[in-house]
Amino acid sequence: MKALESDAPLIIYIDIKSPYAFAAIRPTLALEQALGMRFDWRPLTLDIPSYLGAARKSQGKVVESTRSASQWERVKYGYRDARRYAERQGLMLKGTEKIWDSSIANIGILWVMQTDRNRLGAYLETVYPPFWRRELDIEDIAVVEGCLKAAGINAEGFAAFQQGEGRLQHDELQSQLHLSGIYGVPTYVFDDTILFGREHLPFVRWHLEGKKGSAPDIAYEIEALEAVSC
């Protein structure tokens, strides 16, 4: 698997522990359905401490932290921004109590894409909303298997996959991403174009529909997806 190559019309990189990706999932799934296309969904497991420092809370209070004041401000703003758009979709977004290792749940994306592609949306729906309500331990393999089953996906063999072939695929992909110019989520890739952020969805739609009319500006509102149909 090459980071910028796919037979699909669009590659999408997401991370279960990213609030920005969370706010982008439903609009992106809606776009996929509206266009009758199959996008190539892939995991980008963020190394948050490498650029935002590390922290852990207990009962809402910070008990460990290596973050500077400016890093805390960036984190707080990021949550406020993502929460604004999650709430417009009727979703709850609570700040996490620690920096999670989301690799098992992200390898779940690879598993679904390879074994039951039609249920990818169902899997994301069983993982994202409860995780951001602080109801899901995505570091527990049994919990992720439960999410697969809840989405109607056969989880037999997933435990071995996430330790073996799936882990190898995941790690090989992660090693390519920064070198390919992909740093955050959600990221949308088509042709030689890399776009970071949900605000680019109207442009993505314009491109996938054949570039009819003038290219749209960026937009955050979900409704804008329906408006861009020149």
Side-chain angles (χ1 to χ4, degrees):
M1 186 183 299
K2 301 297 183 182
L4 301 179
E5 297 178 9
S6 176
D7 293 333
L10 182 70
I11 302 172
I12 306 161
Y13 284 98
I14 58 174
D15 185 357
I16 300 299
K17 70 172 176 289
S18 165
Y20 281 118
F22 176 43
I25 293 301
R26 288 184 179 177
T28 307
L29 286 169
L31 177 61
E32 183 179 49
Q33 182 176 15
L35 298 182
M37 295 179 176
R38 285 194 170 194
F39 300 158
D40 188 347
W41 296 75
R42 300 179 179 181
L44 189 171
T45 302
L46 296 166
D47 180 9
I48 294 175
S50 68
Y51 61 96
L52 282 177
R56 183 173 66 86
K57 292 182 178 180
S58 178
Q59 298 180 340
K61 295 182 179 180
V62 178
V63 293
E64 295 178 16
S65 176
T66 64
R67 286 175 174 159
S68 65
S70 62
Q71 286 174 323
W72 271 115
E73 285 304 312
R74 289 167 61 190
V75 169
K76 291 176 182 178
Y77 173 80
Y79 274 113
R80 286 197 302 269
D81 194 27
R83 185 175 294 115
R84 182 179 302 121
Y85 297 105
E87 289 178 349
R88 287 185 63 84
Q89 300 172 55
L91 296 167
M92 180 182 295
L93 193 163
K94 293 183 178 180
T96 60
E97 298 269 272
K98 69 172 188 175
I99 297 175
W100 292 82
D101 176 0
S102 53
S103 61
I104 295 175
N106 284 344
I107 291 172
I109 296 169
L110 296 175
W111 174 261
V112 179
M113 290 293 293
Q114 295 173 31
T115 65
D116 202 345
R117 172 61 180 81
N118 289 338
R119 295 189 178 274
L120 188 277
Y123 172 67
L124 296 178
E125 194 66 23
T126 64
V127 178
Y128 265 109
F131 174 72
W132 286 101
R133 293 194 301 265
R134 297 184 189 164
E135 297 172 358
L136 209 65
D137 181 352
I138 58 172
E139 295 177 354
D140 187 332
I141 177 64
V143 170
V144 176
E145 286 179 323
C147 291
L148 289 168
K149 293 174 184 177
I153 299 159
N154 185 355
E156 184 176 352
F158 175 69
F161 178 79
Q162 70 86 23
Q163 290 181 326
E165 180 59 28
R167 177 67 60 175
L168 290 173
Q169 291 177 21
H170 170 275
D171 292 354
E172 171 60 26
L173 187 57
Q174 306 315 301
S175 71
Q176 299 178 46
L177 295 178
H178 284 190
L179 296 174
S180 300
I182 299 171
Y183 300 97
V185 291
T187 287
Y188 303 92
V189 180
F190 56 83
D191 299 337
D192 295 322
T193 303
I194 300 172
L195 301 172
F196 168 57
R198 182 171 73 96
E199 64 269 27
H200 295 290
L201 278 174
F203 184 87
V204 170
R205 181 171 192 160
W206 173 80
H207 169 82
L208 294 176
E209 289 185 325
K211 301 180 180 180
K212 300 174 184 178
S214 301
D217 199 353
I218 62 173
Y220 287 91
E221 298 301 325
I222 299 169
E223 291 80 5
L225 289 174
E226 297 303 322
V228 182
S229 56
C230 301

